[in-house]
Amino acid sequence: MDRTAGRPGTRRTRLRTAVAVCAVALGTLTTLGTPANAAPSAAPSAAPSASSDRAARADTPWKLRTPLSETASREFWDVAATGAKDAWSVGRTTDGADGPAPLIRHWNGSVWADVPAASTDGKPAQLEKVAAAAPDDAWAAGSLADNTSAPIVLQHWDGEKWTKVGHAAPAEGSLSFVGDLAAFGPKSAWLTSFDWDPNGGAQVSRLERWTGSGWEKVSLPAAPDGGEVQPWDITGTGPDDVWVTANAMTGEVSVPLLYHWNGSGWTVREVPAPGEHPTGWVANHAVATGRDSVYVVGKTNDPQSPTATMAARWTGGRWQSLPALPVGEVNAAGADGAGRLWIAGWAPGNPHSVLARWTGTRWATEELPADVTEHSEMSTVLGVAGVPGTKGVLAAGTAGCASDPVQCGVLVSRDLR
């Protein structure tokens, strides 16, 4: 876990989540108290009785898709689907003595089954993001886990097998990390990543686009009020409707931005924050639910723990602010097949992730199934994805199972058969 825990203090949700996942694997739950990203000012709620807690969890509409395995350490970091008979989840397995190995699972409408990843030349690696545009067009991205100045891991699915795709290596002494990944067709995939120098602390952020034959760097327009633009999350409805969140950094102060690509040019808007903060705000997640509907979720730009969260929706003509989030920080966000926004994170005092849906007027929070919460000490949802052609949604993550240090991969669904 050295590489994951040693990432730079970039105020990114995924980085702090990775540290929390490591804590589960190391068996430190009892020393954590509350999850690392729980709002420090929130007082824990009164604990319900065991019987009422079990009843509430038993009634959750979320269902575990694959049993938790306590004999093999597996982690799922992301999930994607193109339909009811085609879904992917990626992550890593750490069973062997040689370090982590990429883990890829596929849903064919009947079962989840492991699919071999492309070779990483014998080097330990993990896959952190997956995106799919069609049953024969999917991408997975991750990183090597040996703390070397090496390219990020990129793989492509052509309907038959996963193939390694080359990527430029970072400068000597720097480490490469994946930000986000999105796919909209054979000639339209998008990737954010960054290189970090652990010695000097310098960070170089990138946005790239797949053209059908190679990855090319994309330059975003300058921030409206200046600052270094750092692209992060990607969403959209097609090749001519791509949204990218970014943070404009001036020293330690961050301004959240939302960029839009219409197929020929960019526009940029500042995301409204709910208030002033000494170090500003960051936009961690974006979810498009239509061509003129995109949600942005973020938090204060605090390297240790957020003091507040934010959520807003761009309607095509104006910004609409959403009420306070029901979690201390959002670890994953996505839309279900019906176009409803979902977020996942930890609520204060709860060691398990909760999932919350935006109804249009309020946040409706739901628990993970008892198959997860009653058989693990802690859980984290790291990916949420809708299933096109249905009303359903998938969520992927990891749980700290009782037979420490085994990590149990979590795949759950809602409104799917």
Side-chain angles (χ1 to χ4, degrees), residues 271-319:
V271 181
E276 296 291 332
H277 190 271
T279 57
W281 299 75
V282 293
N284 293 123
H285 303 277
V287 180
T289 57
R291 291 190 67 89
D292 293 319
S293 176
V294 59
Y295 292 88
V296 178
V297 180
K299 66 181 189 64
T300 54
N301 180 29
D302 191 310
Q304 300 301 322
S305 180
T307 55
T309 57
M310 70 174 187
R313 178 191 177 208
W314 175 253
T315 65
R318 66 183 182 88
W319 284 102

Side-chain angles (χ1 to χ4, degrees), residues 271-374:
V271 181
E276 296 291 332
H277 190 271
T279 57
W281 299 75
V282 293
N284 293 123
H285 303 277
V287 180
T289 57
R291 291 190 67 89
D292 293 319
S293 176
V294 59
Y295 292 88
V296 178
V297 180
K299 66 181 189 64
T300 54
N301 180 29
D302 191 310
Q304 300 301 322
S305 180
T307 55
T309 57
M310 70 174 187
R313 178 191 177 208
W314 175 253
T315 65
R318 66 183 182 88
W319 284 102
Q320 178 185 63
S321 294
L322 275 62
L325 302 180
V327 295
E329 184 176 352
V330 175
N331 296 328
D336 61 22
R340 299 174 298 185
L341 173 68
W342 285 89
I343 62 172
W346 283 309
N350 189 347
H352 294 281
S353 279
V354 296
L355 295 120
R357 172 173 50 88
W358 175 244
T359 67
T361 57
R362 65 181 183 88
W363 293 103
T365 302
E366 298 175 353
E367 299 276 351
L368 288 169
D371 291 342
V372 175
T373 58
E374 293 184 359

Side-chain angles (χ1 to χ4, degrees), residues 173-251:
S174 292
L175 303 177
S176 288
F177 298 95
V178 174
D180 200 16
L181 180 68
F184 303 106
K187 296 183 179 181
S188 180
W190 295 78
L191 171 74
T192 59
S193 62
F194 65 96
D195 300 335
W196 173 61
D197 181 354
N199 296 315
Q203 178 178 320
V204 178
S205 299
R206 278 185 305 274
L207 173 65
E208 297 173 89
R209 178 176 62 178
W210 175 257
T211 63
S213 59
W215 287 94
E216 64 177 23
K217 291 184 180 179
V218 177
S219 296
L220 290 172
D225 295 324
E228 177 192 357
V229 175
Q230 298 178 343
W232 188 247
D233 213 48
I234 311 167
T235 188
T237 64
D240 61 348
D241 184 39
V242 180
W243 301 85
V244 179
T245 67
N247 302 308
M249 299 297 301
T250 303

Side-chain angles (χ1 to χ4, degrees), residues 11-405:
R11 280 78 62 188
R12 308 295 196 191
T13 299
R14 182 171 295 278
L15 307 190
R16 182 160 40 257
T17 300
V19 175
V21 171
C22 290
V24 177
L26 295 173
T28 58
L29 179 65
T30 55
T31 65
L32 287 177
T34 57
N37 61 4
S41 60
S45 57
S49 67
S51 59
S52 63
D53 187 49
R54 273 195 302 271
R57 286 179 292 177
D59 291 339
T60 180
W62 290 86
K63 296 180 180 180
L64 186 65
R65 304 302 300 193
T66 61
L68 299 185
S69 172
E70 295 192 32
T71 59
S73 189
R74 302 161 71 87
E75 302 168 56
F76 296 123
W77 290 75
D78 200 14
V79 64
T82 67
K85 296 183 179 181
D86 181 53
W88 296 94
S89 186
V90 300
R92 69 179 186 175
T93 179
T94 52
D95 297 333
D98 297 329
L103 174 63
I104 302 178
R105 300 211 89 192
H106 181 252
W107 169 254
N108 65 4
S110 300
V111 296
W112 285 93
D114 289 351
V115 176
S119 172
T120 58
D121 300 321
K123 296 181 179 180
Q126 60 195 29
L127 295 173
E128 300 155 11
K129 302 298 294 185
V130 64
D136 60 352
D137 183 20
W139 288 89
S143 57
L144 296 180
D146 57 359
N147 290 321
T148 61
S149 297
I152 61 174
V153 176
L154 273 176
Q155 302 190 3
H156 181 258
W157 172 258
D158 62 5
E160 295 183 359
K161 66 181 183 302
W162 287 93
T163 304
K164 178 182 177 180
V165 178
H167 192 273
E172 185 66 28
S174 292
L175 303 177
S176 288
F177 298 95
V178 174
D180 200 16
L181 180 68
F184 303 106
K187 296 183 179 181
S188 180
W190 295 78
L191 171 74
T192 59
S193 62
F194 65 96
D195 300 335
W196 173 61
D197 181 354
N199 296 315
Q203 178 178 320
V204 178
S205 299
R206 278 185 305 274
L207 173 65
E208 297 173 89
R209 178 176 62 178
W210 175 257
T211 63
S213 59
W215 287 94
E216 64 177 23
K217 291 184 180 179
V218 177
S219 296
L220 290 172
D225 295 324
E228 177 192 357
V229 175
Q230 298 178 343
W232 188 247
D233 213 48
I234 311 167
T235 188
T237 64
D240 61 348
D241 184 39
V242 180
W243 301 85
V244 179
T245 67
N247 302 308
M249 299 297 301
T250 303
E252 290 296 313
V253 180
S254 173
V255 174
L257 304 174
L258 181 65
Y259 285 85
H260 181 244
W261 171 256
N262 64 6
S264 60
W266 292 96
T267 55
V268 56
R269 299 173 179 86
E270 184 175 332
V271 181
E276 296 291 332
H277 190 271
T279 57
W281 299 75
V282 293
N284 293 123
H285 303 277
V287 180
T289 57
R291 291 190 67 89
D292 293 319
S293 176
V294 59
Y295 292 88
V296 178
V297 180
K299 66 181 189 64
T300 54
N301 180 29
D302 191 310
Q304 300 301 322
S305 180
T307 55
T309 57
M310 70 174 187
R313 178 191 177 208
W314 175 253
T315 65
R318 66 183 182 88
W319 284 102
Q320 178 185 63
S321 294
L322 275 62
L325 302 180
V327 295
E329 184 176 352
V330 175
N331 296 328
D336 61 22
R340 299 174 298 185
L341 173 68
W342 285 89
I343 62 172
W346 283 309
N350 189 347
H352 294 281
S353 279
V354 296
L355 295 120
R357 172 173 50 88
W358 175 244
T359 67
T361 57
R362 65 181 183 88
W363 293 103
T365 302
E366 298 175 353
E367 299 276 351
L368 288 169
D371 291 342
V372 175
T373 58
E374 293 184 359
H375 297 282
S376 62
E377 296 178 323
M378 185 179 183
S379 62
T380 304
V381 171
L382 297 169
V384 174
V387 182
T390 76
K391 295 181 179 180
V393 60
L394 292 164
T398 184
C401 290
S403 54
D404 183 64

